[in-house]
């Protein structure tokens, strides 16, 4: 059994804990359903007996910080460090509970060294990587964090290689994720390493994860990236383009939707989104092509797509059935 | 302010609560960052003061079940019902806490009626829909649940329309999701209705949701669907196909990977996966085409794809730049 210890601090992001914890719980269920023993023993530890999470829900009866060397004797130990709400400036170097956790962590630097083969691993979700860096465990390692904390992580651990725009990074016994939902992807990756691909996929399916994301995937998608503004006219334009990315959009049609002049549209578009209308449409088209997951709708759209004439694509599909796959 | 009340019962799936709760918390943050007031006041309620969640973590200081008519006077009320671990047969009609929650819920049937315009809404995640159905609130409504509970839901609410293979269903003031991660998609949908698309997208981005999923999306993806077995040879074959879906796979090549005869491969493939090798490859190809999200890799693959000759697709892309989008 692997002891998976979730370190809880005041303001712990409940999703950072809940996502991976449910992954490990369901992986145990799927293991047992196939006649194998459960692999993950979940523990919740903290310098405090009771803490209040990010959303105001309080956890209690939390176990004290254990002696990891002692715990290690009964099997591998994975320590999960989560993000927490609130400004980091008032927490790092200041918050007494943070300092207690940090002091405890520094006692085990040896256990978590690169390729130490100590049977101990560190998993960080979101800003959890900051505590790790503050305790001196990131030096010489490759890791990532939520994009809001990338610069802070690099400052806390100047000798670490901080990866940007990654869902998660696997650096041997240090596994870090961008958080918040990326913690689920990281935990599924860990399950697949320990319990195999079948169990990881069954777990993802139980959780209604449509597709497991890979560590190389960019953290940011174009459909969301360009929607941080509050300009209602532009949002209408973006909705129209997203709803029908293959349409022959021109500035006049889009300006009509926005109720502004074509010239004004091009200006505010670039001003608010930092990208030209043309490049935006191009990105949405590429992204949509890759992301549409409903097979029927996809087939219809692929056939209608101006870039992929119906005749050639559907003909090729038929040829594929007749030739390449004939022997199968 | 909307009072968002999460009903907690013993064994509550922590992810069913954490996902939507973080969505509403982050939406408040993004609203405040744009100078608007927070919209969602989170409350955690239960017949019990303390409960232990699905993963063994205990919640305490939970508020008692409120008088919803009284609460309604200070603003809209949304009640969130989550799934719980454990066999439903021993819970429904038997568990005393379930019965208390059910009795409380039946007092408010009028508040949650279709188009009652009462300012009250029900959100169900995963098996949360079962409690709703047991309390008689699903009659005449359209809703969904986790696929493990679809038949049970239909039995508990014979006068409801139970939707299969949907991420979530919006039936006015009754919003139901397949759970577990689909609760996040449902909560983002609610945020977009109340606070607008910009806030919903910014929230999704903070949570590292790559793409917001739509309610019509199927609950099950082919890449995960066919991996519930534990047959190592077949998993190797599936890995090979997924890694290079466009390759000219034939039964001999695949049999070599599986270390079995081609005839044997076709037999065990159909036996274990319930689908022919040819149809499986076809599904993986279609799905992969739609899902690859890294733009560079996608561009390369789309151009290399046997169904979409490089010349025609890339040529059309260039023409698109020159013609349709020229005025933009």
């Amino acid at each position: 059994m692997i002891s998976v210890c979730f370190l809880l601090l005041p303001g712990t992001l409940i999703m950072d804990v809940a996502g991976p914890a449910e992954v490990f719980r369901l992986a145990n269920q799927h293991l047992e359903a196939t006649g194998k023993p459960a692999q993950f023993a979940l523990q919740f530890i903290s310098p405090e007996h009771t803490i209040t999470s990010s959303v105001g829900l309080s956890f209690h009866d939390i176990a004290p910080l254990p002696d990891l060397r002692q715990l290690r004797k009964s099997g591998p130990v994975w320590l999960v460090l989560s993000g927490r709400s609130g400004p980091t400036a008032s927490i790092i170097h200041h918050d007494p509970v943070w300092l207690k956790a940090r002091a405890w962590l520094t006692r085990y630097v040896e256990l978590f060294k690169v390729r130490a083969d100590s049977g101990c691993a560190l998993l960080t979700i979101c800003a959890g990587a900051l505590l790790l860096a503050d305790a001196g465990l990131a030096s010489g390692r490759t890791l990532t964090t939520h994009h809001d904390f990338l610069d802070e992580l690099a400052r806390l651990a100047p000798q670490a290689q901080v990866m940007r725009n990654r869902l998660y990074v696997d650096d041997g016994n240090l596994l870090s994720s961008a958080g918040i939902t990326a913690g689920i992807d990281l935990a599924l990756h860990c399950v697949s390493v320990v319990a195999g691909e079948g169990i990881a996929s069954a777990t993802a399916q139980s959780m209604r994860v449509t597709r497991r994301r890979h560590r190389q995937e960019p953290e940011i998608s174009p459909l969301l990236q360009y929607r941080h503004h509050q300009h209602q006219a532009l949002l209408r334009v973006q909705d129209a383009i997203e709803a029908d990315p293959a349409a022959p959009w021109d500035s006049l049609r889009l300006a009509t939707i926005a109720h502004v002049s074509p010239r004004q549209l091009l200006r505010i578009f670039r001003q608010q989104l930092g990208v030209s209308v043309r490049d935006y449409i191009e990105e949405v088209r590429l992204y949509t092509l890759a992301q549409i997951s409903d097979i029927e709708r996809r087939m219809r759209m692929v056939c209608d797509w101006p870039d992929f004439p119906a005749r050639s694509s559907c003909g090729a599909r038929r040829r594929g059935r007749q030739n390449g796959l004939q022997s199968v």
Side-chain angles (χ1 to χ4, degrees), chain A residues 6-323:
Chain A
F6 291 84
L7 177 63
L8 307 178
L9 297 178
T12 285
L13 282 191
I14 186 172
M15 248 296 285
D16 285 4
V17 174
E22 291 279 18
V23 167
F24 295 127
R25 179 182 74 85
L26 288 165
N28 277 344
Q29 259 186 24
H30 286 290
L31 279 164
E32 286 171 339
T34 55
K36 291 178 187 161
Q39 286 271 23
F40 308 98
L42 306 190
Q43 299 191 23
F44 302 93
I45 60 172
S46 176
E48 308 280 284
H49 182 70
T50 296
I51 69 126
T52 301
S53 72
S54 54
V55 297
L57 190 57
S58 292
F59 305 145
H60 86 149
D61 263 352
I62 311 171
L65 298 177
D67 179 336
L68 291 183
R69 284 189 193 85
Q70 199 60 34
L71 190 61
R72 172 70 189 91
K73 288 180 187 161
S74 58
V77 174
W78 293 0
L79 181 61
V80 186
L81 306 179
S82 308
R84 41 182 295 174
S85 55
T88 54
S90 64
I91 294 167
I92 301 174
H93 308 316
H94 294 96
D95 179 74
V97 190
W98 175 280
L99 293 173
K100 271 189 220 170
R102 182 187 180 280
W104 171 77
L105 209 46
T106 52
R107 274 185 243 155
Y108 302 107
V109 172
E110 289 303 312
L111 278 184
F112 297 110
K113 270 201 172 161
V114 200
R115 293 186 193 85
D117 199 22
S118 63
C120 291
L122 279 165
L123 278 67
T124 71
I125 323 289
C126 198
L130 299 179
L131 177 58
L132 172 98
D134 194 31
L137 277 79
S139 194
R141 309 299 300 256
T142 304
L143 77 175
T144 194
T145 184
H146 190 283
H147 71 271
D148 283 346
F149 305 112
L150 287 166
D151 293 336
E152 189 143 17
L153 179 58
R155 202 164 48 243
L156 281 169
Q159 316 215 283
Q161 190 181 0
V162 176
M163 304 297 280
R164 289 168 183 270
N165 206 18
R166 292 289 179 94
L167 268 187
Y168 62 89
V169 171
D170 175 343
D171 183 27
N173 63 346
L174 168 55
L175 300 115
S176 54
S177 86
I180 300 178
T181 58
I184 296 172
D185 301 275
L186 179 63
L188 286 168
H189 169 70
C190 294
V191 167
S192 83
V193 170
V194 168
E197 181 58 31
I199 296 294
S201 293
T203 303
Q205 190 82 298
S206 310
M207 293 184 74
R208 312 289 92 210
V209 171
T210 304
R211 187 179 64 93
R212 281 168 57 199
R213 300 184 285 185
H214 296 284
R215 66 187 91 155
Q216 296 85 351
E217 280 192 34
E219 198 192 348
I220 292 170
S221 91
L223 297 193
L224 298 175
Q225 184 181 356
Y226 296 117
R227 283 182 172 257
H228 283 247
H229 62 89
Q230 290 297 319
H231 201 293
Q232 289 307 315
L234 286 191
L235 286 173
R236 279 201 305 277
V237 168
Q238 289 177 282
D239 283 346
I241 295 169
E242 276 186 34
D244 190 4
W249 294 111
D250 58 42
S251 54
L252 192 63
R253 257 186 91 185
L254 293 174
T256 312
I257 291 169
H259 304 307
V260 297
S261 75
R263 202 194 170 96
Q264 218 178 338
L265 175 71
L266 300 189
R267 190 181 53 75
I268 54 174
F269 207 94
R270 191 174 271 290
Q271 189 186 60
Q272 294 282 331
L273 275 66
V275 67
S276 74
V277 178
R278 185 162 76 178
D279 286 349
Y280 175 78
I281 293 173
E282 186 80 1
E283 273 200 59
V284 172
R285 283 183 177 177
L286 285 169
Y287 197 78
T288 308
L289 172 65
Q291 291 290 328
I292 300 162
S293 69
D294 177 291
I295 287 185
E296 254 187 89
R297 188 163 149 240
R298 178 165 71 243
M299 279 311 298
R300 200 173 60 241
M301 288 190 70
V302 166
C303 292
D304 290 349
W305 208 273
D307 294 1
F308 304 110
R311 259 185 28 166
S312 88
S313 67
C314 295
R317 266 175 45 73
R318 273 196 300 276
R319 280 196 305 280
R321 275 197 187 276
Q322 286 156 13
N323 307 335

